[in-house]
Amino acid sequence: MAVDTANGALRNPFELPDSDGYEWVKGNLHSHTTNSDGRVDPQTRVDGYVGAGYDYLCLSDHRKITRVDTVEAPDGFVLVQGVELHPDNPFGGQRHHFVCLGMEEDMDADVMPPQLVIDRVRSQGGQVWLAHPHWSSVNIARDTMPLDGFSGIEVFNTVCRCMGRGESSVHWDDWMEQEQKLYPMLCNDDLHGDPENPKKGRYDWYQGWTMARVKERTSEAVLEALSSGATYGSTGPTIEHISLSKSGDEVEATVKCSEAQRIFAVSDKTGAEYQEKGEIFTEATFPVRPGAQWVRFEVVGPNGAKAWSNPFDLTEL
Ligand SMILES: [Zn+2]
Ligand SMILES: [Zn+2]
């Protein structure tokens, strides 16, 4: 029986071929401008990501949508309309941080219960992503499991790393294990700063991105790739290919990537590590933990930068 998933069946992006018109696009779904607490105006923010070689961006200002028709971007650069909403947290933790994508209508989320916010976002065709749970001191069982309708989780956040809590992979695994439900990830900057005028000690730009496998350079195609897991996240390494094969109860994974010092296969039954005797490698085949229902992969580059795959449902192999 298939493991439950947040948004319907997950797709393996590495099996969506170039010959069908698919390409990788690089993007960031979480950034702020002078419309909230960011240090540059919306157009400067867009220009920054265009200049840094990105293909798509969301200006996810706090509480109020920054409309994509108020900025300009070159042909082929995709603007995803969104907002970061902060409903109250009635379960005891801190106020929520939800990155909401594909948004049309503003709402006064601060005075709304979190489930109502999720429902209203979804009713307008939007997606709700749990932002930086490590930084927010989110307790998955207390703050998140009472809620239903998330698209997934932000596994890495650059500005939160500046404050020592950038990675939320433990929350991700905890959530998937407790619910036995697979959530895809985002890897984001949450950029507030000004790359042209750095604030001392805070370098929060262009260090965490989500690669999406799309056929068309449209907001709809990017959103569909995000929710169906046709993505991977990175702070450096490239994942070229992941394939899985099963014989009996044994599952074997083959990962091809840019230079790596190690690869982790993280599953609901602990995990497995692959290393090449202390040497750098770019391809590895190794067994996944027996009896696991799902597995996700982390590639660690020579300098410690990482890439995260989405989870794979092993029960469907
Ligand atoms: Zn936030
Ligand atoms: Zn933010």
Side-chain angles (χ1 to χ4, degrees), residues 86-104:
H86 302 282
D88 188 23
N89 184 344
F91 313 119
Q94 295 184 38
R95 185 168 282 279
H96 285 291
H97 291 240
F98 296 162
V99 168
C100 302
L101 305 174
M103 292 290 288
E104 291 298 328

Side-chain angles (χ1 to χ4, degrees), residues 30 32 62 84 86 97-99 131-132 135-136 157 160 190 192:
H30 192 168
H32 297 277
H62 297 286
E84 186 171 7
H86 302 282
H97 291 240
F98 296 162
V99 168
H132 50 64
W135 182 85
S136 309
N157 179 302
C160 293
D190 197 359
H192 288 70

Side-chain angles (χ1 to χ4, degrees), residues 131-186:
H132 50 64
H134 187 195
W135 182 85
S136 309
S137 297
V138 164
N139 178 296
I140 291 294
R142 178 190 63 193
D143 302 321
T144 306
M145 286 179 63
L147 301 171
D148 188 47
F150 287 99
S151 285
I153 186 169
E154 191 178 68
V155 70
F156 178 84
N157 179 302
T158 303
V159 76
C160 293
R161 181 167 67 180
C162 297
M163 293 172 267
R165 289 186 166 205
E167 188 172 338
S168 295
S169 53
V170 172
H171 297 74
W172 191 17
D173 293 335
D174 186 28
W175 200 5
M176 293 197 288
E177 227 173 289
Q178 293 201 56
E179 288 191 354
Q180 276 301 301
K181 185 175 184 177
L182 303 184
Y183 288 94
M185 58 80 233
L186 300 180

Side-chain angles (χ1 to χ4, degrees), residues 8-135:
L10 289 168
R11 293 185 297 167
N12 180 349
F14 307 101
E15 288 177 354
L16 302 174
D18 293 355
S19 55
D20 281 0
Y22 284 99
E23 62 169 337
W24 285 109
V25 287
K26 175 180 179 177
N28 171 45
L29 284 314
H30 192 168
S31 69
H32 297 277
T33 77
T34 46
N35 285 348
S36 61
D37 58 349
R39 293 180 66 218
V40 306
D41 63 62
Q43 187 62 56
T44 305
R45 186 63 81 220
V46 172
D47 294 345
Y49 276 94
V50 171
Y54 282 66
D55 303 299
Y56 68 91
L57 176 68
C58 177
L59 302 171
S60 58
D61 276 305
H62 297 286
R63 296 182 172 83
K64 191 169 190 310
I65 297 167
T66 293
R67 303 269 158 193
V68 297
D69 60 8
T70 61
V71 291
E72 290 185 11
D75 282 352
F77 189 91
V78 178
L79 292 165
V80 176
Q81 189 160 281
V83 64
E84 186 171 7
L85 296 178
H86 302 282
D88 188 23
N89 184 344
F91 313 119
Q94 295 184 38
R95 185 168 282 279
H96 285 291
H97 291 240
F98 296 162
V99 168
C100 302
L101 305 174
M103 292 290 288
E104 291 298 328
E105 305 292 329
D106 277 310
M107 66 187 87
D108 194 0
D110 278 49
V111 298
M112 292 162 61
Q115 188 60 56
L116 182 61
V117 171
I118 294 171
D119 294 344
R120 289 265 174 90
V121 171
R122 287 166 59 97
S123 73
Q124 54 176 287
Q127 302 177 354
V128 181
W129 293 79
L130 180 66
H132 50 64
H134 187 195
W135 182 85

